[in-house]
Amino acid sequence: MRRAKIRISRFNPDIDKTPYWQEYQVPWEKGDTVLGALIYIYEELDPTLAFRFGCRYKKCGLCAVEVEGRPRLACLAGLKKEMEVSPLRNLPIARDLAIDRGFFYHRLAELKLYIPEQESMKWPAVIKEGIQHKRLIGCVECLSCLSACPHYDYRDTTFGGPYLFVKLAQLHFDSRDKIDRRFQARTLGIERCKGCRYWGRCVPCTSGIPIFKDAIRPLS
Amino acid sequence: MRGEAFQDNFLGKVKKAILDWKINGFVLFNRLMETRDFDVICIGAGGAGVAAAVSAARAGARVAVLSKEPIGYGDTRISKGVMAYAGLYPGDSPGEFYRDLIQGGEHLNDGDLARTVSQETALAVLTIEGFGHLFCRDEGGRITSEVLSPAGGHRFPRGLISPSEGVSMGNALRAAIARAGIAVFEETMAVKLYSEEGRIHGLLALHLLSGEAVFFRAASVVLATGGAGWLYYPHTDCLQSATGDGFSLAYEAGAELIDMEQVQFIPFGITHPRPFIGLLCGEPATAGPFGRLLNNKGEVILEGINTMTRAQVARAICMEVERGGGTRHQGLILDLSPNLAHPKGLKAREKMKEIGIFEPVREAYGERAYDWEEPWDVSPTAHYHMGGIRADSEGRTGIKGLYAAGQAQGGIHGGNRLGSVSLAEVFIFGRRAGRSAAQSALGGVRGKINRVESLITADVQELKSLYGSRGSYRPIKLKRRLQELMWKKVGVLREEGKLKEALEELGELEALSRDLSISPIKRLNREVQDALELRMMLNVAKAMALSALERKESRGAHVRLDFPQRDDFGWRRNILVWKEGMEMKVRAEEVRN
Ligand SMILES: Cc1cc2nc3c(=O)[nH]c(=O)nc-3n(C[C@H](O)[C@H](O)[C@H](O)COP(=O)(O)OP(=O)(O)OC[C@H]3O[C@@H](n4cnc5c(N)ncnc54)[C@H](O)[C@@H]3O)c2cc1C
Ligand code: FES
């Protein structure tokens, strides 16, 4: 059977000062994915490997990691003969490949990144949904865009990063929302995007959202 | 002093050694763990858990939600987001919908629950749109009969489609929790409920990220833990957290489980390559009006698929595979290409693409298969549990203060769930359960904690001892054995011999599950989670096998090769499982109309 060599970034914040690489060899068949390899390693080679997944098919966004330095959904990324897998960058590491996603709940709540309660409105309401909203709402919140963004750092709350700009744009294009989201984008440092080397295209999105066209530009 | 007197982020202060805690005038010196106090705790933060939490909070209760994943995940978030709305299509009405539910459920449904669902779908739609979700509308921005999609077993189109499937529902759920100011415990797994004198008073949970135990004191607990599809991994399309925890928690606390043999295998799942085995690629309606199932000799096994129920189609596929007509991947061939020659067929393809139900086909079988030009290899995959915790239309179980809602609750769908009804039902019963849980909690009666204090302490110690335990078996390996066993012996087709073997092997696995080897890492230790889930899965698997053995007929999703007929004289009955002493008991009872 063919085998693939996979190097994984390991890190336990309780013990390790810095991340280190560890290499594993896994069986490799046509159609195999990075997620499949991680599951194999956990089951057969190393009980201590930490990583996340949920749905096995690009819906939960929990499995996002960096493959060869590029953010990907592990459940879709094809396995190659040799590869390196590391956690998403710019985000707090829970352990190994798993990001600590906990702070997002509080961040979204504190920034009120949702529309007002609609239940008391007359229903069924007539609501026209624009094409941008339809596209933007497909964000599975895998946080890959934050990993690729050259300016984002979770410790710096003055810059929202592409993920929060997509959330803001979802609301900006939602006729039910009443808050000035462009103003909010400015308070979250969207201006900084102008000096970015990705200005005009922004980073790639695993759900195929054109982040610049649908979020950064309309909010700027 | 109450729970919220602590700061919100408990990760930072988990090392706290001694807590002086006053409960009912009783001082609990708790050296082991953090204690929290609420009126209502919802375990699970998918559609049902959030609907329950929000309605409990609106009723004035102090509420917390716990979830193994982030808030708003669960199968709700990875669902297709198609939700039943009855009575909009010309000729449709709650009465017609009720008839479809009972017909589809093959008369096993609890009448009261089915009636409630049939009457309240509009309320469910309003609830989730109220939270902020948006269903697809027509060009004028209206919800009309035009936008409704069909699903197998429904005589009228009833499905509202979501532009981004379940994801935007999940976002709306998170927003609803934030707006209502509900306390949130993400990545926190409930492991045991405590009751005394038939009344719930609290639960023990593990914060997975830190490895710390937390004791929650609560007057009411709502179980909204979803299903158990993961008992059949990889033959399931469910989220990996769907390990049936709620069934086991309720069972251990003394509540009854109903019709646990009724598991929905959705007929069309991917069969290869291996990372994609079990992923959803369709339900009967996906076949369009002209799709057909072929065996390995190219013979037509089934036509007219789109009007059948999921149970009927899944059964037909497995019967043919059992007869030797299966493909290399133990599936059948689904040929959708005849649809392409008819306007109706083409319309069906576009509708199904809009829903997104067969998206994984693209990755697994390629672009031409995605366009219905090439056939698919399909096999049924575990999707939903019709059985579950027995609770009434207010979510009340037989244990005071314990409620169930959503997929965790059993009896609503009888022997088969019709597509799109789950998402409606989770909001209907979530709301109801939350409201009654709050009313009961605010009514002032609280369970006593006095006598079980030492029990809790022992449980916490046991939980802690899992870390670094040096036994012989890895929990994941036992989990995999259980999953394989369930697929092979308690899968789509069942018979007495295999079910008995399954029960025996489950007994063996249970013995092995007391001899575990687990790494000592505290932070995000997947092995500990596996160990805790394994225990729950063993209970659930046993309840399923025992119920399947008891039902000596074929009905709904339950197919017995040794009793292939439906027996309406002997078996219009529900099967109930409960715990007596250390034993699992089973009995059959007339269906409640
Ligand atoms: C791929 C797929 C597509 C689907 N599409 C549709 C559809 O289009 N229409 C439809 O009607 N139905 C659909 N369904 C079914 C439907 O999505 C589910 O039945 C429904 O979402 C269940 O909601 P719930 O709130 O009961 O549970 P879930 O949404 O599954 O939530 C369960 C919650 O419980 C938590 N939990 C579990 N155990 C514990 C524990 N021990 N401690 C703490 N928390 C715990 C989980 O973390 C999660 O938060 C689909 C299902 C799947 C798998
Ligand atoms: S596992 Fe859910 S997106 Fe990859």
Side-chain angles (χ1 to χ4, degrees):
Chain A
M1 192 192 290
R2 289 195 303 169
R3 299 188 82 77
K5 231 193 267 178
I6 175 164
R7 272 167 28 104
I8 295 181
S9 167
R10 307 290 312 267
F11 181 57
N12 181 350
D14 291 339
I15 307 166
D16 305 318
K17 282 216 176 62
T18 50
Y20 60 95
W21 292 103
Q22 192 160 349
E23 190 175 294
Y24 303 92
Q25 297 227 353
V26 299
W28 176 34
E29 267 179 28
K30 189 167 167 265
D32 278 350
T33 57
V34 169
L35 177 62
L38 298 178
I39 294 175
Y40 178 88
I41 293 169
Y42 170 66
E43 283 179 25
E44 305 297 334
L45 308 175
D46 189 344
T48 68
L49 182 68
F51 59 102
R52 288 185 198 282
F53 76 101
C55 66
R56 301 190 291 145
Y57 191 76
K58 70 172 184 190
K59 273 280 135 348
C60 71
L62 294 174
C63 67
V65 288
E66 291 228 329
V67 177
E68 302 289 297
R70 290 231 182 112
R72 301 284 306 274
L73 294 176
C75 62
L76 287 192
L79 191 61
K80 296 214 185 78
K81 192 160 190 301
E82 277 186 41
M83 58 196 336
E84 272 181 10
V85 182
S86 48
L88 295 183
R89 272 173 291 168
N90 311 327
L91 292 160
I93 298 179
R95 195 161 71 75
D96 299 339
L97 300 175
I99 290 302
D100 183 353
R101 303 176 60 103
F103 70 101
F104 273 103
Y105 176 80
H106 300 284
R107 192 89 175 108
L108 294 176
E110 139 202 316
L111 294 170
K112 295 219 169 358
L113 289 180
Y114 41 74
I115 59 164
E117 169 64 54
Q118 302 290 303
E119 201 159 338
S120 52
M121 286 174 73
K122 206 168 159 302
W123 198 88
V126 176
I127 301 164
K128 290 196 183 168
E129 195 192 12
I131 185 74
Q132 295 101 326
H133 186 263
K134 257 201 169 90
R135 278 200 297 262
L136 287 159
I137 208 79
C139 164
V140 299
E141 308 188 324
C142 67
L143 310 181
S144 287
C145 56
L146 296 180
S147 187
C149 173
H151 298 295
Y152 183 75
D153 181 339
Y154 75 98
R155 286 161 298 202
D156 172 10
T157 52
T158 64
F159 182 63
Y163 166 64
L164 285 189
F165 296 142
V166 166
K167 300 301 302 173
L168 285 169
Q170 286 177 350
L171 294 158
H172 176 71
F173 287 112
D174 191 327
S175 58
R176 302 166 298 173
D177 190 49
K178 300 289 172 248
I179 301 175
D180 183 351
R181 302 297 178 177
R182 297 185 67 194
F183 174 76
Q184 217 180 349
R186 282 200 294 282
T187 64
L188 285 167
I190 199 163
E191 291 297 307
R192 272 200 251 168
C193 294
K194 289 201 171 129
C196 178
R197 68 180 129 107
Y198 292 124
W199 177 254
R201 55 197 165 107
C202 201
V203 296
C205 162
T206 59
S207 308
I209 296 170
I211 300 180
F212 182 79
K213 185 167 146 237
D214 281 354
I216 309 288
R217 191 165 53 198
L219 291 171
S220 292
Chain B
M1 203 170 77
R2 299 283 194 180
E4 55 277 20
F6 285 117
Q7 39 173 309
D8 238 10
N9 170 14
F10 67 91
L11 235 187
K13 56 188 184 54
V14 283
K15 299 269 149 61
K16 205 169 187 107
I18 301 175
L19 288 178
D20 266 9
W21 204 251
K22 252 195 157 161
I23 293 162
N24 280 356
F26 190 94
V27 181
L28 171 68
F29 287 99
N30 191 339
R31 284 156 202 283
L32 282 158
M33 69 198 141
E34 198 169 337
T35 305
R36 297 276 187 149
D37 192 347
F38 293 94
D39 297 321
V40 176
I41 291 180
C42 297
I43 308 181
V50 170
V54 171
S55 69
R58 283 186 189 157
R62 292 170 310 125
V63 185
V65 278
L66 268 60
S67 137
K68 289 200 275 191
E69 299 115 359
I71 299 299
Y73 280 64
D75 276 352
T76 307
R77 193 179 175 99
I78 69 160
S79 77
K80 294 294 144 195
V82 185
M83 183 155 151
Y85 182 22
L88 183 62
Y89 204 83
D92 191 16
S93 67
E96 294 293 340
F97 185 29
Y98 177 75
R99 271 189 283 283
D100 285 356
L101 289 172
I102 301 293
Q103 189 72 25
E106 301 199 23
H107 302 273
L108 272 192
N109 323 55
D110 179 304
D112 219 19
L113 299 181
R115 251 186 308 278
T116 307
V117 174
S118 69
Q119 288 160 1
E120 294 190 0
T121 52
L123 192 60
V125 176
L126 182 63
T127 304
I128 186 65
E129 284 217 332
F131 288 170
H133 181 67
L134 195 61
F135 288 106
C136 291
R137 287 159 152 77
D138 69 6
E139 293 205 340
R142 281 168 222 281
I143 290 187
T144 60
S145 59
E146 278 300 292
V147 303
L148 298 174
S149 74
H154 287 276
R155 284 172 303 138
F156 297 90
R158 297 193 176 106
L160 289 176
I161 300 175
S162 303
S164 70
E165 307 178 8
V167 175
S168 112
M169 279 193 179
N171 293 345
L173 297 177
R174 183 176 54 210
I177 291 287
R179 275 191 300 251
I182 289 163
V184 159
F185 297 87
E186 296 185 316
E187 301 200 82
T188 304
M189 175 181 182
V191 295
K192 188 169 178 181
L193 302 178
Y194 296 97
S195 58
E196 224 173 289
E197 293 158 7
R199 177 176 286 279
I200 285 292
H201 59 71
L203 63 96
L204 181 63
L206 179 70
H207 184 229
L208 299 166
L209 208 58
S210 63
E212 293 299 323
V214 193
F215 180 72
F216 288 87
R217 182 169 148 64
S220 300
V221 172
V222 182
L223 290 168
T225 44
W230 210 250
L231 265 76
Y232 293 99
Y233 171 84
H235 304 279
T236 179
D237 61 359
C238 296
L239 211 60
Q240 68 152 335
S241 62
T243 47
D245 301 5
F247 304 144
S248 173
L249 290 167
Y251 165 80
E252 291 286 351
E256 286 179 339
L257 305 180
I258 182 170
D259 293 338
M260 287 300 283
E261 78 285 359
Q262 296 291 353
V263 180
Q264 178 162 84
F265 292 90
I266 203 163
F268 307 139
I270 302 278
T271 62
H272 66 283
R274 59 185 181 184
F276 302 133
I277 295 174
L279 293 176
L280 172 63
C281 65
E283 76 111 45
T286 314
F290 307 103
R292 20 179 234 161
L293 276 165
L294 314 174
N295 66 10
N296 55 12
K297 295 189 202 74
E299 296 159 347
V300 176
I301 298 304
L302 209 60
E303 286 175 301
I305 298 167
N306 64 339
T307 57
M308 302 173 79
T309 68
R310 293 173 174 184
Q312 289 163 340
V313 182
R315 178 180 182 163
I317 295 175
C318 290
M319 287 295 216
E320 180 60 22
V321 173
E322 179 84 3
R323 275 194 292 268
T327 63
R328 194 150 63 87
H329 305 286
Q330 296 300 301
L332 289 190
I333 299 296
L334 180 61
D335 176 17
L336 301 173
S337 61
N339 284 300
L340 304 179
H342 299 267
K344 274 189 176 166
L346 285 167
K347 197 175 157 213
R349 181 180 72 175
E350 292 326 301
K351 198 80 187 167
M352 293 302 146
K353 276 193 176 173
E354 192 184 351
I355 295 173
I357 194 163
F358 57 87
E359 235 182 288
V361 164
R362 201 176 227 158
E363 215 70 37
Y365 303 150
E367 214 53 49
R368 284 175 57 80
Y370 181 72
D371 285 331
W372 295 16
E373 286 161 14
E374 279 177 8
W376 311 346
D377 201 301
V378 295
S379 161
T381 188
H383 180 68
Y384 184 88
H385 219 121
M386 277 77 68
I389 303 161
R390 186 184 228 186
D392 67 10
S393 60
E394 295 297 315
R396 289 179 293 228
T397 68
I399 304 294
K400 290 196 194 80
L402 185 62
Y403 298 78
Q407 196 179 146
Q409 182 178 4
I412 301 159
H413 308 280
N416 176 65
R417 170 174 76 81
L418 304 182
S420 73
V421 183
S422 169
L423 286 176
E425 162 261 292
V426 300
F427 294 106
I428 293 169
F429 292 112
R431 245 179 106 106
R432 287 170 158 259
R435 189 181 56 198
S436 44
Q439 277 163 3
S440 141
L442 298 171
V445 195
R446 287 216 155 210
K448 293 203 177 61
I449 185 172
N450 312 4
R451 267 177 293 159
V452 285
E453 188 203 334
S454 59
L455 183 67
I456 300 168
T457 313
D459 287 337
V460 174
Q461 225 112 39
E462 205 258 344
L463 192 57
K464 298 203 159 190
S465 72
L466 284 176
Y467 290 85
S469 59
R470 295 208 190 146
S472 320
Y473 302 95
R474 286 194 60 204
I476 186 67
K477 292 287 181 185
L478 301 184
K479 240 184 172 177
R480 293 288 179 257
R481 277 171 66 175
L482 180 144
Q483 288 157 337
E484 199 186 330
L485 161 75
M486 290 303 283
W487 177 244
K488 290 204 171 131
K489 298 184 176 169
V490 197
V492 183
L493 305 179
R494 296 146 181 196
E495 57 188 313
E496 183 178 318
K498 282 195 180 155
L499 290 169
K500 286 190 165 155
E501 278 170 35
L503 281 165
E504 207 162 294
E505 286 171 44
L506 285 169
E508 287 161 22
L509 283 179
E510 200 184 336
L512 303 185
S513 75
R514 280 179 235 123
D515 179 17
L516 296 178
S517 129
I518 296 176
S519 88
I521 296 173
K522 293 260 339 198
R523 209 176 242 275
L524 215 61
N525 188 325
R526 182 180 282 272
E527 293 195 293
V528 169
Q529 185 175 350
D530 278 336
L532 296 168
E533 286 176 347
L534 172 67
R535 280 185 200 170
M536 311 230 213
M537 289 163 86
L538 281 163
N539 270 337
V540 179
K542 192 169 163 192
M544 287 163 68
L546 212 56
S547 305
L549 192 60
E550 185 73 9
R551 185 176 292 286
K552 294 178 181 54
E553 64 156 353
S554 293
R555 181 185 297 267
H558 171 72
V559 182
R560 285 280 298 257
L561 293 170
D562 43 356
F563 297 97
Q565 303 302 328
R566 183 165 118 181
D567 171 5
D568 276 335
F569 287 107
W571 277 106
R572 271 206 188 177
R573 314 179 87 195
N574 296 120
I575 293 176
L576 297 157
V577 163
W578 75 102
K579 187 173 181 175
E580 212 170 280
M582 289 310 282
E583 230 183 302
M584 190 176 279
K585 296 279 193 187
V586 59
R587 72 168 192 277
E589 198 181 279
E590 288 302 309
V591 174
R592 296 177 186 167
N593 294 310

